[in-house]
Amino acid sequence: MTEAILLVGGRGTRLRPLTVHTPKPMVPAAGVPFLTHQLARARAAGVEHIVLATSYLAEVFEPYFGDGSSLGLHLEYVTEEEPLGTGGAIRNVASRLHSGPDDPVLIFNGDILTGLDIRALVATHETTGADVSLHLTRVADPRAYGLVPTDGTGRVTAFLEKPQTPEEIVTDQINAGAYVFRRAVIDTIPEGRPVSVERETFPDLLATGAHLQGMVDSTYWLDLGTPQAFVRGSADLVLGRAPSPAVPGRCGDRLILPTATVASDAKLTGGTVVGEGAYVGEGARVTGSTILEGAVVEPGAVITDSLIGARARIGERTILTGAVIGDGAAIGPDNELRDGVRVWCNAQIPPAALRFSSDQ
């Protein structure tokens, strides 16, 4: 049975303040830590053994998931003493794999929400005899990504860093963050130092004549690296746009976890999630947002496309649009916080202190 490595060691700096106290893969999406969705989809594809390559806040993973038996998996954990990059992390956990030299090993980045057909990627790897197979996806604007052109058979021909001019955009195919390695190839990655698979391992393999195969799968794909993307991904899971067997409830307009309290006249739409022990007061309107454990949304607040951290409090009539509120923060009544604002953990904003419009 295919084994997998999950790369979950990143610091999640683009997601701060969500990741001040919580590693990125453990931030809740659709009611459970995001990592739960990845583990569940791997298990559904037939994976039984997964090694988690951890680093930042590594101590929180094992107490939550244990040996993985509750998910039908065997989980192991390896912690990097110093950050080793994507390639270094893969090499660092190689000794925990049970596969033979020619067996396929799945590798996933810990911040990608995708509908990838995992079995199809493994099948492509095996039928083409590739050394490494890459999940590729097509994007409308590839300038922010590394490009991966392929020939008529899907074989990778180059790895191109983020293009700077229109002439450099030779394809709309990008590296989507999931791979299948032939087990022996992992042992060729240098040991004990930082290595990037994107910038070093893959180009070096290509230069030495290795067979790198691309499989384009343009089903749902989202990089959850920013707060706005994370909120959208959570909403898409609740709405059923992104597939996951781990959503704790039926797909629909909202997901209210069992110990949450929502006033009867509050309106929750757009894939909103209300976490355990959270409270949403009378007349509040919450759209496409995530309210984490123990947070309080007071009466009349209006929250759109925002993430409210654990135990945070949003005051009466306060308006949030595209906002991220850190754990334990308190936003007083009659504030108005708009696109891209990040309020740090435990910060306090007095009543009517910040607005983008008149107070009338």
Side-chain angles (χ1 to χ4, degrees):
M1 187 60 66
T2 304
E3 296 186 287
I5 297 170
L6 248 169
L7 303 175
V8 293
R11 298 187 65 84
T13 52
R14 291 185 295 158
L15 273 177
R16 288 168 71 87
L18 300 180
T19 51
V20 170
H21 303 124
T22 306
K24 178 168 50 177
M26 296 298 288
V27 176
V32 295
F34 174 65
L35 179 56
T36 310
H37 299 290
Q38 291 187 305
L39 293 173
R41 292 201 72 244
R43 181 67 190 94
V47 177
E48 292 183 344
H49 178 223
I50 300 180
V51 184
L52 274 64
T54 68
S55 179
Y56 176 64
L57 296 176
E59 65 276 7
V60 309
F61 293 95
E62 189 167 5
Y64 188 91
F65 291 106
D67 64 3
S69 56
S70 63
L71 293 169
L73 290 164
H74 171 49
L75 298 182
E76 294 189 66
Y77 306 83
V78 177
T79 301
E80 300 166 23
E81 299 305 321
E82 299 290 336
L84 294 172
T86 49
I90 293 167
R91 183 67 180 87
N92 191 51
V93 306
S95 63
R96 301 295 185 92
L97 298 173
H98 307 148
S99 303
D102 292 323
D103 290 339
V105 178
L106 279 161
I107 297 171
F108 301 100
N109 283 344
D111 54 2
I112 301 296
L113 178 60
T114 177
L116 168 68
D117 185 338
I118 297 170
R119 291 183 186 271
L121 182 62
V122 175
T124 296
H125 178 80
E126 293 180 328
T127 57
T128 60
D131 295 299
V132 179
S133 298
L134 297 85
H135 171 209
L136 308 179
T137 193
R138 293 189 172 101
V139 294
D141 183 0
R143 289 176 297 176
Y145 304 96
L147 308 185
V148 187
T150 54
D151 66 15
T153 68
R155 188 159 179 161
V156 174
T157 58
F159 290 91
L160 307 174
E161 279 303 303
K162 298 173 184 177
Q164 303 300 313
T165 66
E167 293 74 23
E168 291 177 301
I169 303 176
V170 298
T171 181
D172 60 357
Q173 296 175 177
I174 66 165
N175 177 356
Y179 321 111
V180 180
F181 273 65
R182 189 162 55 85
R183 170 68 182 85
V185 174
I186 293 175
D187 292 330
T188 69
I189 300 173
E191 194 171 9
R193 68 167 176 86
V195 179
S196 165
V197 288
E198 302 85 354
R199 295 181 178 85
E200 183 176 344
T201 304
F202 292 156
D204 285 357
L205 285 169
L206 205 59
T208 58
H211 180 174
L212 278 69
Q213 185 73 21
M215 188 193 84
V216 177
D217 183 324
S218 293
T219 52
Y220 186 97
W221 183 86
L222 186 64
D223 177 352
L224 300 186
T226 66
Q228 292 73 25
F230 202 96
V231 171
R232 178 183 154 199
S234 178
D236 284 349
L237 284 161
V238 174
L239 292 166
R241 295 171 180 165
S244 171
V247 175
R250 290 190 299 176
C251 292
D253 227 20
R254 63 185 189 175
L255 174 64
I256 302 171
L257 295 193
T259 60
T261 302
V262 177
S264 59
D265 64 345
K267 187 175 182 181
L268 309 180
T269 58
T272 288
V273 180
V274 184
E276 297 283 1
Y279 170 80
V280 179
E282 294 81 1
R285 287 183 288 143
V286 188
T287 303
S289 298
T290 295
I291 300 166
L292 294 184
E293 177 183 356
V296 173
V297 176
E298 294 185 353
V302 179
I303 300 172
T304 305
D305 298 337
S306 297
L307 196 148
I308 313 303
R311 301 173 304 284
R313 178 176 289 268
I314 310 302
E316 295 184 41
R317 299 173 300 280
T318 279
I319 298 171
L320 303 179
T321 304
V324 178
I325 310 301
D327 296 344
I331 313 299
D334 300 305
N335 281 289
E336 182 184 1
L337 305 180
R338 294 203 175 271
D339 300 323
V341 69
R342 305 187 191 205
V343 178
W344 231 248
C345 300
N346 301 312
Q348 298 196 25
I349 296 180
L354 293 172
R355 296 194 64 84
F356 282 72
S357 62
S358 163
D359 62 351
Q360 299 302 314

